[in-house]
Amino acid sequence: MRIITAASLVAICGILTGAPARADWVPPFKGNDTGGIIAFSMATQVDARQLAVDHCAYYGKVVKFLAVDPQPGGYISFACRWVPYGANARPLRSLY
């Protein structure tokens, strides 16, 4: 019984070492209630501004773009801010 357990443990470890960890992979759009990033390659295909506005409006906030790295592998970063004082209504969320 110990030989079978040891052999299966060795086989499982061999399979797991051959699989990639994927620790460096980031999705093309990632964000939370404080902001997010959009891959520049995705931004050339879709409207990145509208994507960020919809994302922040989901949390009841407005978008502020922070930086653009316009090269392959670069990102567009944005922050979600509270609605400024004096605004009459919350941000509108568009249907997509």
Side-chain angles (χ1 to χ4, degrees):
M1 187 67 176
R2 288 183 180 174
I3 295 174
I4 294 172
T5 305
S8 60
L9 182 63
V10 168
I12 289 172
C13 289
I15 291 171
L16 290 177
T17 58
R22 300 193 54 105
D24 61 347
W25 184 79
V26 178
F29 178 80
K30 184 174 177 118
N32 56 19
D33 64 329
T34 60
I37 56 173
I38 303 169
F40 189 73
S41 59
M42 181 180 178
T44 60
Q45 299 169 359
V46 298
D47 187 9
R49 290 179 298 164
Q50 190 62 43
L51 198 64
V53 167
D54 290 340
H55 175 77
C56 291
Y58 177 78
Y59 297 104
K61 298 181 177 183
V62 293
V63 68
K64 179 179 182 186
F65 286 94
L66 301 175
V68 177
D69 186 15
Q71 62 183 352
Y75 286 95
I76 298 172
S77 62
F78 64 93
C80 295
R81 306 271 174 107
W82 291 110
V83 179
Y85 292 113
N88 293 331
R90 294 174 55 114
L92 296 176
R93 184 166 185 243
S94 65
L95 300 174
Y96 46 94

